[in-house]
Short mmCIF file of all heavy atoms in Angstrom, two decimals:
data_model
loop_
_atom_site.label_atom_id
_atom_site.label_comp_id
_atom_site.label_asym_id
_atom_site.label_seq_id
_atom_site.Cartn_x
_atom_site.Cartn_y
_atom_site.Cartn_z
N ASP A 339 -53.93 -24.77 -156.04
CA ASP A 339 -52.49 -24.84 -156.42
C ASP A 339 -51.88 -26.15 -155.95
O ASP A 339 -51.13 -26.81 -156.68
CB ASP A 339 -51.71 -23.68 -155.77
CG ASP A 339 -52.20 -22.39 -156.38
OD1 ASP A 339 -52.77 -22.43 -157.50
OD2 ASP A 339 -51.99 -21.34 -155.74
N ALA A 340 -52.29 -26.52 -154.75
CA ALA A 340 -51.75 -27.84 -154.22
C ALA A 340 -52.27 -28.96 -154.99
O ALA A 340 -51.54 -29.97 -155.32
CB ALA A 340 -52.18 -27.99 -152.74
N ALA A 341 -53.56 -28.93 -155.48
CA ALA A 341 -54.13 -30.00 -156.27
C ALA A 341 -53.41 -30.08 -157.57
O ALA A 341 -53.12 -31.18 -158.13
CB ALA A 341 -55.63 -29.81 -156.47
N ASP A 342 -53.12 -28.94 -158.24
CA ASP A 342 -52.40 -28.90 -159.53
C ASP A 342 -51.03 -29.44 -159.36
O ASP A 342 -50.52 -30.20 -160.22
CB ASP A 342 -52.31 -27.44 -160.10
CG ASP A 342 -53.68 -26.89 -160.37
OD1 ASP A 342 -54.62 -27.78 -160.53
OD2 ASP A 342 -53.84 -25.71 -160.46
N SER A 343 -50.35 -29.16 -158.16
CA SER A 343 -48.99 -29.68 -157.98
C SER A 343 -49.07 -31.20 -157.82
O SER A 343 -48.21 -31.91 -158.34
CB SER A 343 -48.39 -29.04 -156.71
OG SER A 343 -47.12 -29.56 -156.42
N ASP A 344 -50.09 -31.71 -157.10
CA ASP A 344 -50.16 -33.18 -156.92
C ASP A 344 -50.42 -33.87 -158.26
O ASP A 344 -49.85 -34.95 -158.55
CB ASP A 344 -51.33 -33.46 -155.99
CG ASP A 344 -51.00 -33.01 -154.63
OD1 ASP A 344 -49.81 -32.77 -154.34
OD2 ASP A 344 -51.95 -32.86 -153.78
N THR A 345 -51.25 -33.22 -159.13
CA THR A 345 -51.49 -33.79 -160.46
C THR A 345 -50.27 -33.83 -161.33
O THR A 345 -49.97 -34.85 -161.98
CB THR A 345 -52.59 -32.96 -161.17
OG1 THR A 345 -53.72 -32.91 -160.35
CG2 THR A 345 -52.97 -33.61 -162.54
N ALA A 346 -49.52 -32.77 -161.23
CA ALA A 346 -48.19 -32.77 -162.02
C ALA A 346 -47.23 -33.79 -161.56
O ALA A 346 -46.57 -34.55 -162.32
CB ALA A 346 -47.53 -31.37 -161.96
N ASP A 347 -47.12 -33.98 -160.19
CA ASP A 347 -46.30 -35.05 -159.63
C ASP A 347 -46.74 -36.42 -160.11
O ASP A 347 -45.87 -37.31 -160.40
CB ASP A 347 -46.26 -34.88 -158.13
CG ASP A 347 -45.60 -33.58 -157.68
OD1 ASP A 347 -44.90 -33.03 -158.57
OD2 ASP A 347 -45.79 -33.21 -156.54
N SER A 348 -48.06 -36.66 -160.02
CA SER A 348 -48.51 -37.96 -160.45
C SER A 348 -48.26 -38.24 -161.90
O SER A 348 -47.91 -39.31 -162.28
CB SER A 348 -49.99 -38.05 -160.17
OG SER A 348 -50.76 -37.11 -160.87
N ASP A 349 -48.41 -37.19 -162.78
CA ASP A 349 -48.06 -37.40 -164.20
C ASP A 349 -46.67 -37.67 -164.45
O ASP A 349 -46.28 -38.55 -165.26
CB ASP A 349 -48.46 -36.10 -164.99
CG ASP A 349 -49.97 -35.87 -164.96
OD1 ASP A 349 -50.73 -36.83 -164.65
OD2 ASP A 349 -50.39 -34.70 -165.29
N THR A 350 -45.74 -36.99 -163.66
CA THR A 350 -44.35 -37.27 -163.79
C THR A 350 -43.98 -38.72 -163.30
O THR A 350 -43.18 -39.40 -163.99
CB THR A 350 -43.54 -36.25 -162.94
OG1 THR A 350 -43.88 -34.97 -163.32
CG2 THR A 350 -42.04 -36.41 -163.10
N ALA A 351 -44.59 -39.11 -162.27
CA ALA A 351 -44.39 -40.53 -161.79
C ALA A 351 -44.86 -41.54 -162.76
O ALA A 351 -44.24 -42.54 -163.03
CB ALA A 351 -45.09 -40.68 -160.46
N ASP A 352 -45.99 -41.27 -163.51
CA ASP A 352 -46.50 -42.15 -164.49
C ASP A 352 -45.51 -42.27 -165.66
O ASP A 352 -45.33 -43.30 -166.21
CB ASP A 352 -47.91 -41.77 -164.96
CG ASP A 352 -48.93 -41.88 -163.86
OD1 ASP A 352 -48.62 -42.60 -162.90
OD2 ASP A 352 -49.98 -41.20 -163.93
N MET A 353 -45.03 -41.03 -166.02
CA MET A 353 -44.08 -41.10 -167.16
C MET A 353 -42.82 -41.83 -166.78
O MET A 353 -42.21 -42.56 -167.60
CB MET A 353 -43.72 -39.61 -167.59
CG MET A 353 -44.84 -38.87 -168.18
SD MET A 353 -44.45 -37.15 -168.55
CE MET A 353 -43.14 -37.42 -169.77
N ASP A 354 -42.32 -41.69 -165.55
CA ASP A 354 -41.17 -42.44 -165.11
C ASP A 354 -41.47 -43.94 -165.15
O ASP A 354 -40.59 -44.72 -165.51
CB ASP A 354 -40.74 -42.04 -163.74
CG ASP A 354 -40.23 -40.57 -163.73
OD1 ASP A 354 -39.93 -40.08 -164.85
OD2 ASP A 354 -40.22 -39.94 -162.62
N GLY A 355 -42.67 -44.37 -164.68
CA GLY A 355 -43.05 -45.75 -164.75
C GLY A 355 -43.06 -46.32 -166.14
O GLY A 355 -42.64 -47.49 -166.40
N GLU A 356 -43.64 -45.53 -167.11
CA GLU A 356 -43.66 -45.98 -168.48
C GLU A 356 -42.27 -46.13 -169.08
O GLU A 356 -42.01 -47.05 -169.80
CB GLU A 356 -44.50 -45.00 -169.25
CG GLU A 356 -46.05 -45.04 -168.87
CD GLU A 356 -46.77 -43.99 -169.68
OE1 GLU A 356 -46.14 -43.27 -170.46
OE2 GLU A 356 -47.98 -43.92 -169.48
N THR A 357 -41.37 -45.16 -168.69
CA THR A 357 -40.02 -45.27 -169.19
C THR A 357 -39.32 -46.45 -168.67
O THR A 357 -38.60 -47.17 -169.37
CB THR A 357 -39.26 -43.99 -168.87
OG1 THR A 357 -39.99 -42.84 -169.38
CG2 THR A 357 -37.88 -44.02 -169.46
N ALA A 396 -37.99 -40.80 -154.35
CA ALA A 396 -39.01 -39.77 -154.41
C ALA A 396 -40.42 -40.31 -154.35
O ALA A 396 -41.31 -39.74 -153.75
CB ALA A 396 -38.79 -38.90 -155.72
N SER A 397 -40.60 -41.54 -154.99
CA SER A 397 -41.90 -42.14 -154.88
C SER A 397 -42.26 -42.54 -153.50
O SER A 397 -43.40 -42.46 -153.08
CB SER A 397 -42.01 -43.33 -155.84
OG SER A 397 -41.04 -44.30 -155.46
N GLU A 400 -43.50 -39.65 -151.34
CA GLU A 400 -44.83 -39.22 -151.63
C GLU A 400 -45.89 -40.09 -150.97
O GLU A 400 -46.98 -39.73 -150.75
CB GLU A 400 -45.13 -39.17 -153.12
CG GLU A 400 -44.26 -38.10 -153.83
CD GLU A 400 -44.53 -38.17 -155.31
OE1 GLU A 400 -45.31 -39.03 -155.75
OE2 GLU A 400 -43.95 -37.35 -155.99
N GLN A 401 -45.48 -41.38 -150.62
CA GLN A 401 -46.42 -42.27 -150.02
C GLN A 401 -46.65 -41.97 -148.55
O GLN A 401 -45.77 -41.56 -147.85
CB GLN A 401 -45.97 -43.78 -150.14
CG GLN A 401 -45.86 -44.22 -151.58
CD GLN A 401 -45.33 -45.69 -151.60
OE1 GLN A 401 -44.98 -46.24 -150.56
NE2 GLN A 401 -45.25 -46.20 -152.80
#
Side-chain angles (χ1 to χ4, degrees):
D339 297 337
D342 296 341
S343 177
D344 294 342
T345 305
D347 293 342
S348 62
D349 294 342
T350 304
D352 294 341
M353 292 177 63
D354 293 342
E356 292 177 358
T357 305
S397 61
E400 295 177 356
Q401 296 178 355

